[in-house]
Every structure is written in C-alpha cells, then in structure tokens.
C-alpha cells in the first residue's frame, strides 16, 4: 500500500498512527496539494490528502474511511469497537476531534491571507468551535486514562492528533493548563512510537 501524504497534516497523522498501531507496512509518498505540481487530484477528485492507494490500485479517502478500512484489514489492535454502542461513542470522539481540527485548519489558512482580506469575525467563530470542542473533549474524558475502554482506540488517536496540531500551529492556545486531563492524555499518547514517529514538522 502507498499513503499519499503531507507531514504536517493532522488527518494524515491520524492515518499514519493507525497504520503503526495496526503494524501495517506501507510506502509514504509526500505530495502537497497546494503545490502546482501536485498529483493528488489524480487519486482523489477533491484534491485532498490523505489518500491510501491499495495494492490493487484503488484509492481510499478520506482519513475516516481510510482508518475504518485499515481496522478491517488487520486483526491487530482493533481501533474501532465491534459493540455498536461503543462504536458510536468512539466515532463521536473522532467527529469531535476532526471538527476541532477543521476549525483550526480554517483559522490557519485564513491567517495566511493578506491582512486586509482576512475576516476577524469569521476567525473568532472558528476559535469558538475550537474552545467549545476542547471543553467537550475534556468533559467526556473526565478522570479516565483513555477515551473509551481500557486501551487506545480511534478516539484517542483522533484526539491526540488534534491536540498535536494545536500544539504545532497554535502554541498560543494554552489548552494544557486549561484542560490538564487532555494534557495527560496527550503525554500518554506521545510515549508510544506511533505518535513519537509522526510528530509534525514544518
């Protein structure tokens, strides 16, 4: 398999962590969708990463679909519970984490526009999504070591990648002091090779 990716994308990181946790070998191909020479659109008509190219040549996207595919491709370290209620709970965690990430990415891209073309009110609206999302994650986690059950699941991976993206792109957001339980989860996840080996770099 081949993963078409950027090393700074939190959605790519989610897939890379899942691949590591599932112990699935793959080839990593770096392709930045913003570059003029990008070929991402040849595999995903939306021109977005990550894209997983299966051995039969079929392209799988986006990150949520890729991770679900990977979880069925190998019995190692099931990341999505089979129990329907727990499955929904884990996928809700993923939806919340992805939503926070979407808002953060939107802020990052808006701030790259010329200052006179930026929309401050729109940025504030996205920031509110981030802050409300962090509060919801903190409340759901409570005093637990893991988001769901007694070990790592897709919920933890999604949360960890979102928090990692905030730490990478928005160091001014002091979520670690605001939510110590999320900080503890973040530190716990970064003891794992899957997270250590995928820390985003500029």
């Amino acid at each position: 398999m081949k993963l078409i990716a950027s090393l700074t994308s939190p959605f790519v990181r989610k897939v890379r962590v899942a691949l590591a946790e599932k112990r699935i070998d793959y080839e990593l191909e770096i392709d930045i969708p913003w570059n003029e020479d990008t070929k991402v659109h040849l595999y995903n008509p939306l021109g977005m990463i990550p894209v997983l190219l299966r051995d039969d040549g079929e392209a799988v996207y986006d990150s949520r679909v890729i991770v679900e595919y990977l979880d069925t491709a190998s019995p190692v370290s099931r990341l999505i519970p089979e129990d329907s209620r727990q499955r929904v709970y884990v996928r809700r965690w993923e939806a919340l984490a992805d939503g926070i990430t979407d808002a953060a990415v939107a802020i990052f891209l808006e701030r790259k526009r010329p200052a006179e073309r930026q929309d401050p009110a729109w940025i504030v609206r996205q920031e509110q999504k981030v802050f409300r999302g962090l509060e919801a994650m903190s409340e759901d986690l409570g005093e637990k070591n893991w988001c769901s059950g007694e070990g790592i699941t897709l919920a933890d991976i999604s949360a960890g990648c979102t928090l990692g993206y905030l730490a990478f792109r928005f160091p001014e957001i002091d979520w670690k002091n605001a939510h110590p339980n999320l900080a503890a989860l973040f530190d716990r996840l970064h003891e794992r090779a899957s997270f250590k080996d995928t820390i985003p770099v500029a």
Side-chain angles (χ1 to χ4, degrees), residues 157-184:
I157 293 173
S158 301
C161 291
T162 293
L163 296 173
Y165 183 73
L166 293 179
F168 175 56
R169 293 294 193 196
F170 299 90
E172 71 276 12
I173 298 179
D174 190 15
W175 56 267
K176 288 188 176 183
N177 283 323
H179 306 291
N181 60 342
L182 295 182

Side-chain angles (χ1 to χ4, degrees), residues 1 7 25 34-35 37 65 84 93 96-97 102-104 115 124 136 151 153 156 170 183 197:
M1 289 188 289
L7 297 181
D25 293 328
W34 308 111
N35 292 352
D37 62 349
V65 179
S84 59
W93 262 97
L96 177 59
D102 283 336
V124 168
T153 67
D156 305 282
F170 299 90
D197 294 343

Side-chain angles (χ1 to χ4, degrees), residues 37-187:
D37 62 349
T38 181
K39 296 181 181 178
V40 172
H41 62 280
L42 299 177
Y43 311 110
N44 179 353
L46 302 176
M48 300 171 67
I49 52 173
V51 179
L52 183 73
L53 296 181
R54 301 194 324 186
D55 292 337
D56 61 5
E58 183 174 355
V60 182
Y61 49 83
D62 61 3
S63 67
R64 285 170 286 194
V65 179
I66 294 173
V67 172
E68 182 158 4
Y69 166 72
L70 294 175
D71 206 35
T72 62
S74 168
V76 175
S77 301
R78 288 305 300 266
L79 302 176
I80 304 173
E82 293 186 8
D83 175 77
S84 59
R85 184 168 184 173
Q86 287 302 310
R87 183 183 185 90
V88 169
Y89 184 67
V90 166
R91 297 312 292 267
R92 188 182 76 170
W93 262 97
E94 183 185 23
L96 177 59
D98 283 1
I100 295 170
T101 302
D102 283 336
V105 170
I107 295 168
F108 175 74
L109 294 177
E110 183 71 8
R111 288 179 176 174
K112 292 183 70 173
R113 289 157 52 92
E116 67 275 9
R117 296 180 59 190
Q118 293 180 23
D119 186 341
W122 190 84
I123 290 176
V124 168
R125 183 176 181 182
Q126 303 309 312
E127 288 175 338
Q128 290 172 343
K129 293 179 185 179
V130 171
F131 297 139
R132 288 197 304 265
L134 289 171
E135 289 173 1
M137 285 207 305
S138 179
E139 183 176 344
D140 278 359
L141 181 61
E143 300 300 319
K144 296 179 294 184
N145 287 330
W146 303 101
C147 297
S148 175
E150 300 302 319
I152 190 170
T153 67
L154 177 57
D156 305 282
I157 293 173
S158 301
C161 291
T162 293
L163 296 173
Y165 183 73
L166 293 179
F168 175 56
R169 293 294 193 196
F170 299 90
E172 71 276 12
I173 298 179
D174 190 15
W175 56 267
K176 288 188 176 183
N177 283 323
H179 306 291
N181 60 342
L182 295 182
L185 174 65
F186 181 79
D187 291 342

